[in-house]
Amino acid sequence: MKVHPFLLFITAPAVLLTVLLTGGCKPQNPTTAVEGDAAGKVYVPPGKYDEFYNFVSGGFSGQVSVYGLPSGRLLRSIPVFSQDPQTGWGYSEETKPMLNTSHGFVSWDDSHHTALSTTNGEHDGRWCFINGNNTPRIARIDMKTFRTAEIIEIPNSSGNHSSPFITENTEYAIAGTRFSYPLDNQGANADVPINSYKQNFKGTVSFIGINPQSGNMDIAFQVLLPGVNFDLSRCGRGPSHDWFFFSCYNTEQASTLLEVNASQKDKDFIMAVNWKKCEEYAKAGKGRKDKVRYAHNVYDEKTHTATSTIKTDVVVLDPKELKDIVYFMPCPKSPHGCDVDPTGQFIVGSGKLAAIIPVFSFDKIIKAIADKNFEAEFEGIPVLKYDAVLHGEVKKPGLGPLHTEFDGKGFAYTSFFVSSEIVKWNIEKLEVVDRVPTYYSIGHLCVPGGPTRKPHGKYVIAYNKITKDRYLPTGPELTQSAQLYDISGDKMKLLLDFPTIGEPHYAEAIPASLVSPKSVRIFKIEDNNHPYVAKGEKEAKVFREGNKVHINMTAIRSHFTPDNIEGVQLGDEVYFHVTNLEQDWDVPHGFAVKGASNAEILIMPGETCTLKWVPDRVGVVPIYCTDFCSALHQEMQGYVRVSPRGSSVALTSGTGKTN
Ligand code: RUQ
Ligand code: CUA
């Protein structure tokens, strides 16, 4: 018997036992897994476009990357919670405030789950939300520009994992704390022994209101919860529109060696939150205001500049007082994914250590609440009876279920990390109808439109944790990887492996037709309200404010204005505010100066971008364009003269002046 390599990491005795009894999980021989017509199904000929955009979270890279499907070609990587040397994100003076937090500048995070905006539960192609886990944040990417437009920090949270899933009309994005802990509002009272978890540790889920026009985010309210781990979540849809569902584990409330101590109970919880009721209570002033600190960062497309504001309070609702907003449902065992089918009737809990998949019925949940069919309370919150809310269980589905997606034709697709496979099952009958191996150890999976009322179907994509022997070796770390399967027939068929950036967690795919027609091509120069813009070469200038030298500079094929600058002195801070005067699609200019710690910026047509430079020695320093913009790109250069402090060289500048 061959045991799958990843099983070596799994020590939970029950799982190990089950695995050993069922005889390991090495998938079938990979070379037999692809059929002859696979290549034709993923081939997008030169000059043709892909049918879908796939927005894939970057995991520990803190970014989002965008692939075309079915080709698997990488189109873009979008920096979010990271500094990015390809775009200058987080390096330019304009974008640095986007990475501000209550802890200061935090330029790397762990981003797990994308959520594409919906209207009436269907994709509308406007925004892509993504969570930052470690320093809890939610970002909004504008799908017109493929850029991060806004980031909000989440207070009273630690490990923002069940996030940023959205309600059907993008009314709210959700942020559930993974780790419970003595909340931020405790201030100095948070200095408690770690083993006082049961008394002192709490959790929250936050509802971030989203402005339907601008997309701007603001924390509407938080719900205070018992100390457990909150893992994943999904909105209700259709009949369950008013509800949000969260998976919870560590109901044992352990603070040490969770791999054993949080695996004691047979059942943890799925939590149902009535967000409509919460909204009513918040509006009626039934919450309390907590003193906290969190950053709200917004990038303004007119000034091409981000601002960061620190906010200081948040409304918290307590379900011990507001009795009808939160219910628990027992769910076997350490549930991870918590997914709602397109009809909104069925809620699927994926217990990592469970031997079955439970499917809950929304109608039964409502009836059980009305009948007060509770089996217990957990810290003042009613626990509904398992049998009263269960639609049924999928028997022997596989090992280590994590996440479930839907095709809109009555089928669910669940990823199995331990048995390394995707299993297709019938939601109504709870019968397994097909299974395919993944290479290897799948985490998330994605059916285009899977979390909407109208899935686009066609494919399922596996996002795998391990690639082992699938690619040419690249040293100790192999590439991360996704796999594309055809689901148009009864049986799933593997079509393609493609490498990904960072570690892919959740991803969504959307028809290109909903996104590409709206793509921004240029920023209009007349709309540029940057405080240091030069809207034409005549407006270019150099001026001094104390030891700050500002250079309002323009770039156009193939020169900078000005390109000769004298009178900079040691000890000055020099700000190159470069406006790209081009009004043509796909003509960026770059700007670089030797010795700048942020060595480069990249400026889109019509945009202004600032590079700060503190020269550290006397001399004449070249500047140049870093983006190959024309046949005379190599001529796009200039010089800055740096003189000693107190020098009599006047501050002057010019382009085309010769002696
Ligand atoms: S979690 S496997 Cu954030 Cu499932 Cu990625
Ligand atoms: Cu501008 Cu090269």
Side-chain angles (χ1 to χ4, degrees):
M1 183 186 79
K2 265 196 179 171
V3 174
H4 187 266
F6 205 85
L7 292 178
L8 300 175
F9 297 103
I10 302 276
T11 54
V15 174
L16 197 50
L17 192 68
T18 328
V19 170
L20 294 175
L21 289 175
T22 55
C25 320
K26 183 82 178 164
Q28 70 190 88
N29 181 356
T31 52
T32 64
V34 181
E35 292 188 14
D37 59 347
K41 289 191 171 155
V42 300
Y43 184 63
V44 178
K48 292 279 186 268
Y49 296 141
D50 278 292
E51 186 181 350
F52 292 97
Y53 287 101
N54 191 194
F55 286 80
V56 184
S57 61
F60 48 67
S61 80
Q63 304 193 340
V64 169
S65 42
V66 185
Y67 303 83
L69 295 179
S71 71
R73 296 183 294 193
L74 174 65
L75 303 176
R76 190 93 202 132
S77 92
I78 305 172
V80 185
F81 307 107
S82 60
Q83 288 177 294
D84 177 40
Q86 185 175 333
T87 57
W89 181 258
Y91 288 111
S92 71
E93 294 306 300
E94 286 82 357
T95 55
K96 280 180 186 172
M98 291 301 281
L99 298 173
N100 190 38
T101 72
S102 64
H103 303 271
F105 185 75
V106 177
S107 61
W108 193 355
D109 212 306
D110 178 22
S111 63
H112 278 213
H113 313 121
T114 50
L116 302 187
S117 58
T118 53
T119 303
N120 295 324
E122 292 178 38
H123 279 156
D124 60 20
R126 298 206 286 169
W127 307 305
C128 172
F129 298 88
I130 176 94
N131 64 328
N133 258 316
N134 179 35
T135 304
R137 287 173 279 181
I138 288 182
R140 179 174 57 86
I141 294 166
D142 188 335
M143 285 161 78
K144 290 198 306 297
T145 56
F146 284 64
R147 285 179 168 186
T148 305
E150 188 176 4
I151 294 181
I152 193 162
E153 189 181 357
I154 316 292
N156 286 338
S157 177
S158 199
N160 175 37
H161 195 259
S162 37
S163 170
F165 305 98
I166 52 163
T167 53
E168 282 197 289
N169 289 307
T170 320
E171 295 97 335
Y172 294 99
I174 297 309
T177 190
R178 172 171 160 202
F179 310 110
S180 285
Y181 71 111
L183 297 179
D184 302 349
N185 60 23
Q186 297 299 302
N189 295 333
D191 177 16
V192 298
I194 295 170
N195 67 11
S196 69
Y197 189 114
K198 287 194 167 96
Q199 299 80 22
N200 293 317
F201 290 29
K202 296 282 172 234
T204 61
V205 296
S206 308
F207 285 73
I208 317 319
I210 295 159
N211 182 298
Q213 273 79 47
S214 65
N216 280 127
M217 302 187 284
D218 196 9
I219 301 179
F221 51 86
Q222 299 187 311
V223 182
L224 181 67
L225 293 162
V228 297
N229 284 45
F230 296 90
D231 211 5
L232 283 147
S233 58
R234 279 293 185 198
C235 69
R237 45 187 74 99
S240 53
H241 174 85
D242 296 358
W243 293 79
F244 224 100
F245 302 94
F246 297 81
S247 55
C248 316
Y249 66 106
N250 191 25
T251 54
E252 295 85 349
Q253 304 187 304
S255 61
T256 180
L257 202 60
L258 262 63
E259 67 170 337
V260 174
N261 294 330
S263 306
Q264 297 302 309
K265 292 192 184 172
D266 277 343
K267 292 197 177 69
D268 293 277
F269 296 134
I270 299 277
M271 176 174 76
V273 177
N274 186 328
W275 61 263
K276 273 281 183 188
K277 281 252 161 68
C278 293
E279 188 178 59
E280 270 169 44
Y281 287 136
K283 282 191 183 141
K286 297 265 164 83
R288 62 159 208 250
K289 266 202 177 158
D290 268 12
K291 286 277 156 242
V292 288
R293 279 167 51 78
Y294 60 102
H296 181 209
N297 311 329
V298 182
Y299 185 83
D300 181 328
E301 234 172 61
K302 291 282 188 272
T303 58
H304 300 284
T305 303
T307 47
S308 177
T309 315
I310 295 289
K311 299 200 163 174
T312 54
D313 54 43
V314 69
V315 172
V316 179
L317 303 174
D318 188 345
K320 279 194 191 140
E321 293 153 19
L322 307 167
K323 282 289 185 189
D324 52 356
I325 55 175
V326 181
Y327 301 89
F328 287 128
M329 308 187 283
C331 179
K333 176 173 189 180
S334 300
H336 186 61
C338 168
D339 295 288
V340 179
D341 89 310
T343 69
Q345 187 55 246
F346 300 110
I347 298 105
V348 179
S350 299
K352 302 188 289 282
L353 306 180
I356 51 109
I357 300 176
V359 181
F360 301 94
S361 150
F362 180 68
D363 286 347
K364 289 187 178 178
I365 294 169
I366 292 303
K367 179 155 191 319
I369 291 171
D371 297 349
K372 298 211 168 6
N373 205 348
F374 307 143
E375 64 172 42
E377 281 203 342
F378 185 82
E379 297 205 2
I381 293 174
V383 182
L384 300 167
K385 280 205 186 116
Y386 182 65
D387 290 334
V389 293
L390 190 71
H391 162 62
E393 296 172 341
V394 185
K395 308 282 186 211
K396 295 209 180 134
L399 293 176
L402 289 185
H403 298 281
T404 301
E405 290 266 292
F406 305 91
D407 64 4
K409 297 177 188 154
F411 296 102
Y413 299 77
T414 301
S415 59
F416 287 84
F417 175 80
V418 178
S419 51
S420 218
E421 59 188 333
I422 300 174
V423 173
K424 176 181 177 182
W425 50 278
N426 180 306
I427 305 169
E428 197 52 56
K429 297 188 195 144
L430 304 164
E431 284 166 7
V432 171
V433 296
D434 191 24
R435 53 179 76 231
V436 283
T438 58
Y439 306 95
Y440 302 94
S441 297
I442 178 175
H444 282 269
L445 75 181
C446 154
V447 171
T452 71
R453 275 202 217 178
K454 285 223 181 96
H456 316 293
K458 221 164 170 174
Y459 303 110
V460 64
I461 305 106
Y463 302 94
N464 300 329
K465 301 300 177 196
I466 294 176
T467 48
K468 286 282 173 207
D469 49 11
R470 300 295 284 182
Y471 293 91
L472 287 173
T474 49
E477 195 194 15
L478 300 176
T479 184
Q480 312 287 333
S481 176
Q483 295 186 288
L484 181 79
Y485 298 79
D486 182 352
I487 58 166
S488 56
D490 289 343
K491 297 282 169 199
M492 295 176 275
K493 284 184 190 151
L494 176 59
L495 299 177
L496 178 74
D497 285 16
F498 62 97
T500 62
I501 292 176
E503 182 181 62
H505 286 258
Y506 190 53
E508 279 204 59
I510 180 170
S513 57
L514 291 176
V515 178
S516 55
K518 300 186 230 172
S519 211
V520 164
R521 298 183 168 209
I522 59 160
F523 299 102
K524 283 197 190 132
I525 192 81
E526 61 267 30
D527 293 344
N528 183 327
N529 291 332
H530 191 288
Y532 296 95
V533 66
K535 294 193 184 186
E537 293 186 356
K538 291 211 178 76
E539 292 182 17
K541 61 180 175 191
V542 175
F543 60 100
R544 174 181 283 285
E545 282 171 346
N547 72 331
K548 292 190 166 68
V549 174
H550 292 277
I551 304 166
N552 297 5
M553 180 182 264
T554 63
I556 196 162
R557 282 163 287 180
S558 296
H559 59 274
F560 294 108
T561 304
D563 68 2
N564 280 199
I565 297 141
E566 300 199 350
V568 170
Q569 299 184 1
L570 264 193
D572 283 344
E573 284 174 7
V574 182
Y575 294 86
F576 298 95
H577 309 286
V578 186
T579 301
N580 180 348
L581 294 178
E582 308 283 353
Q583 293 286 273
D584 255 354
W585 195 17
D586 202 23
V587 190
H589 290 285
F591 180 85
V593 59
K594 183 176 169 181
S597 54
N598 300 340
E600 291 176 44
I601 48 175
L602 190 69
I603 315 111
M604 295 302 129
E607 187 179 43
T608 305
C609 220
T610 301
L611 182 74
K612 178 182 170 183
W613 176 53
V614 183
D616 68 344
R617 58 197 76 170
V618 165
V620 174
V621 184
I623 54 175
Y624 73 102
C625 171
T626 55
D627 188 297
F628 206 105
C629 49
S630 74
L632 295 171
H633 157 80
Q634 287 295 85
E635 280 67 26
M636 196 160 175
Q637 63 154 67
Y639 291 100
V640 182
R641 174 178 172 191
V642 181
S643 304
R645 191 92 215 134
S647 151
S648 59
V649 177
L651 187 64
T652 57
S653 68
T655 298
K657 283 189 209 157
T658 40
N659 299 332

